[in-house]
Every structure is written in C-alpha cells, then in structure tokens.
Amino acid sequence: MKRILICITIIYVLVLALTGSAWAQLARVKEYKVQPRVKTIELSSFLGSIKWIPITSQEQARIIVEVVADGVSQTGVRKALLQVRIVENIRPSSILLEARRPALPSGVDYVEVNYTVYAPPGQFRQFKAQTAQRPIEIVSKFNAELTLINHNAPITLHSGRGAVNLQTAHAPIMLGELDLTLSSQVQTDHGAISGVVSFPPQGSFLFKTTNAPIELQVPQNTLGTFYLSNTRGAIDFQLGDDIYNGSSGTSVERSPEPVVNMITSNSIISVNEIH
C-alpha cells in the first residue's frame, strides 16, 4: 500500500528569565493514507492520546501520528524525538502502528505519541487502541468491534454499535449511546461508568469498577438477568415493573438472557429507563 509521509518539525523555546533555563518542545508528524479496503486498525502508544474522527466517504481517510518531546534541554529533546520508533505492519486490509518507548536523555520531561484517525464511520470492522495517561475518544459513530485499553486516562465513546472491550484505571469510561451486539466488558478502577446502553437477546456483559458509580440508562423493554453487586454502596434499579432500592447486592431476572453483571463498591449502581 502506498502511503504519504509528511514530516514537520516544530520547535518552541521559552527563555525563563528568573531561572536562566530554557524550555523546548519538538514535534514530528507522519500521515498515513488509509485505503477503503482497510477494515482493521491497531494503534499502540506508551503515552499519548488516540482519537477517531469521522469524515465523509468522499474525503481521504488517513492516520496522523504526532510524536512530541518536551524538556529543558533542546539537545536532549531533539535526541529523544529522533529515538522514537514507530513499528509499521501495513497490509491491504489492516494497519498496525506501534510506538516504541525511547530511553529519555537528560533534560527531557516526557515523550508522547498521539494518533488521530480520520475515517468514515463505517470504515472499520475492528478498531484496537492501547495507550496511557492520555484520553482515548471515539467520536465517530462506529459499527465495529472496539478493544480500547488505557491507563490513568478516560475512554469516551459518542455513539455506535458493536461489541466492546474497554479497560482503564483511575479514570471514567463514558459509553455515550451504545448498541451492543455481542458479549462485552467495561472495566475501570476508581472511575465512573456511564451511558445509554441497549443489549442483544443473548450474551454476557460486565460493567465493573471500584469506589465509583455505575449509571446506565436502558430502553424500557430491556430483557435479561441483572446481577448487581455493590459493597458498602447503594442500588437503584427501575426498569418496567421491576423496582429495587437497597444496598449490597441483588439480582433481577426479566428473562434468562442476556446476563448483565454490574459490580462496584462505596458508591451507587443505577439502572433506569431512557426518558
């Protein structure tokens, strides 16, 4: 596959009169064309944001990879920037990009690799992303399997349909309007889980966190068996004629499937109808 590579270097230098030191930031950018037959995207960064922004089918789909280095040593920052390696595995139907963490020279505070995907909502069947310390955001109304792994930063979906595997820690997961089609899991720690969710007739679904709320809105006709576990917290379940307000844990069986497990502690589990 042909790809267009654009390299841009931007240098910002700020002289701090009080300390006599300098701050420098350098960035380099690569652009990869994404052909219409590409259906799988896999992006990996050790530190940096990942975002999928929708475009029209008439626009050229592309991935922008921005490598940023920051520190007080211009020489060290420049060296760190050049040491970042992006491993590419580009095939007719898939693109894999993996950023390898460099050793930080003296005077460098951090290096991050940010990915921005510009593609039509229906472009991909699988979208995988892994990073840390920066948000993952799916702005596009997707119809795909999502695997999004983050650490210490939020995961945000706006709207879409498919199966999801979402994991982070010490940060919230915001599901937007999510139409689940297959078994899925949403897990964080010390972060809230929220959204408007619909379930298919079958499957197993897990929503799990600690010390933070789980707040889902679902259609009034939602069926399934709900297992709700909240240690030292509260449960507010109101769906059709099934109403429960209490603590600790309970189960509500509206039908044998799907099976929905919701687990947290020291907070609230809320399941309510869409109004």
Side-chain angles (χ1 to χ4, degrees), residues 32 38 40-44 63 86-91 93-100 115 128:
Y32 297 86
V38 172
T40 299
I41 290 289
E42 187 168 352
L43 307 173
S44 177
I63 301 172
I86 307 296
V87 178
E88 306 171 0
N89 187 349
I90 301 176
R91 300 181 178 181
S93 62
S94 65
I95 295 177
L96 183 152
L97 301 174
E98 179 185 357
R100 298 286 177 85
Y115 297 94
K128 299 180 180 181

Side-chain angles (χ1 to χ4, degrees), residues 160 162 177-181 196-200 205 217-219 222 274:
E177 296 183 4
L178 178 59
D179 181 10
L180 293 169
T181 59
V196 178
V197 180
S198 61
F199 299 96
F205 302 89
Q217 289 185 289
V218 299
T222 296
I274 300 171

Side-chain angles (χ1 to χ4, degrees), residues 208-220:
K208 184 178 181 180
T209 187
T210 58
N211 300 309
I214 301 175
E215 299 175 306
L216 298 185
Q217 289 185 289
V218 299
Q220 183 179 15

